[in-house]
Amino acid sequence: MIRVHVWNEGRHEQTDPRVQAAYPEGIHGAIAAALASDDDLQVTTATQDDPGYGLSPATLDTTDVLVFWSHIAQHEFPNELVADVAQRVLNGMGLVVLHSGCISKLFTRLMGTTGMINWREADERTRLWVVAPGHPIAAGLPAYFELPHEEMYGEHFDIPPPDELVFISWFQGGEVVRSGCCFYRGAGRIFYFQPGHETYPNYRDANVGQVLRNAVKWAAPIGRPAPQRGNMPPLEPLPSHR
Ligand code: ZN
């Protein structure tokens, strides 16, 4: 079993009727439902307003992969918690960052860039192209799939060159964006996925659900001892070594 913790900021749902209509169960609820359809995934959820910001040490200690959606309340997210979660990723915890999570403190810390992007809310159709057909995150997907409405995110997207690029998205207005990006940081694996604006129920889309399940499985720790770093005695006898 892979233990997945779905973390959602959870603020839009409190105030915006459009978001309440799209996600009556909360964005985290829809993501959790998509993941829980796989018997290999054990899913918990939390929001930023939960005790310990929904990311207590006890929770993180039992998390293999963290799924992270954030947008407007990052100024309330403690820097010490950012540092803790980032270190856990470097130590091997998987991280799936969704949509506007690209500008979160956590993602930008792990990327070393701003995560900024062009954007537009105009009910646009988007088409996601699989550009790495042999990648595990593309398993079970067609050559491309479409979502009828999504917020446009367009290049330039301020991220480092992804270690593996799985999706490129086209938007009706003409822009494109690197929309499915894999990064390796330390012992950890990070996947960024663009869809998921709060007013469109795209986390209920079947193909998006497939991507989320694939991404969690790809990001899960592979299970090996922590790397050793520091002053090392030689493995073979060395005449000059003291
Ligand atoms: Zn958005």
Side-chain angles (χ1 to χ4, degrees):
M1 292 286 277
I2 299 171
R3 299 166 297 178
V4 192
H5 190 54
V6 178
W7 186 92
N8 171 29
E9 184 177 272
R11 292 292 175 83
H12 289 298
E13 292 92 330
Q14 298 178 21
T15 57
D16 189 334
R18 297 174 304 163
V19 181
Q20 292 161 354
Y23 289 113
E25 73 280 57
I27 290 171
H28 52 292
I31 295 168
L35 296 174
S37 67
D38 190 317
D39 291 340
D40 292 336
L41 305 180
Q42 179 183 312
V43 186
T44 56
T45 66
T47 70
Q48 185 160 325
D49 291 325
D50 287 337
Y53 299 88
L55 293 168
S56 70
T59 296
L60 291 167
D61 284 347
T62 53
T63 296
D64 296 315
V65 179
L66 175 64
V67 178
F68 192 90
W69 195 104
S70 68
H71 188 210
I72 53 171
Q74 275 288 292
H75 58 288
E76 299 174 28
F77 195 94
N79 292 334
E80 312 79 64
L81 186 52
V82 175
D84 179 28
V85 177
Q87 187 60 51
R88 289 172 184 269
V89 173
L90 297 177
N91 291 348
M93 184 179 76
L95 177 65
V96 177
V97 174
L98 299 172
H99 192 60
S100 39
C102 61
I103 56 169
S104 66
K105 294 179 191 175
L106 177 62
F107 186 68
T108 57
R109 179 187 179 106
L110 287 162
M111 293 297 108
T113 58
T114 67
M116 280 298 294
I117 205 160
N118 292 319
W119 58 275
R120 175 173 64 235
E121 291 185 50
D123 296 342
E124 284 169 73
R125 185 159 52 96
T126 183
R127 183 178 296 135
L128 292 91
W129 288 92
V130 173
V131 296
H135 198 282
I137 297 180
L141 293 170
Y144 65 84
F145 64 93
E146 298 183 356
L147 300 169
H149 301 296
E150 183 51 74
E151 181 180 10
M152 187 283 291
Y153 272 20
E155 299 285 348
H156 178 248
F157 181 18
D158 189 19
I159 50 172
D163 294 308
E164 294 159 3
L165 183 62
V166 184
F167 300 104
I168 292 175
S169 288
W170 166 91
F171 289 85
Q172 200 171 349
E175 288 86 353
V176 296
V177 73
R178 293 165 288 171
S179 54
C181 306
C182 298
F183 304 92
Y184 294 82
R185 291 291 183 276
R189 300 178 182 201
I190 303 166
F191 182 64
Y192 172 78
F193 191 50
Q194 184 273 334
H197 185 65
E198 62 271 12
T199 59
Y200 308 122
N202 286 334
Y203 291 126
R204 276 196 276 281
D205 178 85
N207 288 311
V208 168
Q210 182 74 44
V211 173
L212 294 174
R213 291 187 294 275
N214 291 347
V216 164
K217 291 181 177 180
W218 171 82
I222 61 172
R224 60 186 298 274
Q228 184 178 348
R229 303 184 184 98
N231 185 269
M232 280 284 285
L235 299 178
E236 310 290 340
L238 293 178
S240 63
H241 186 257
R242 287 177 294 167

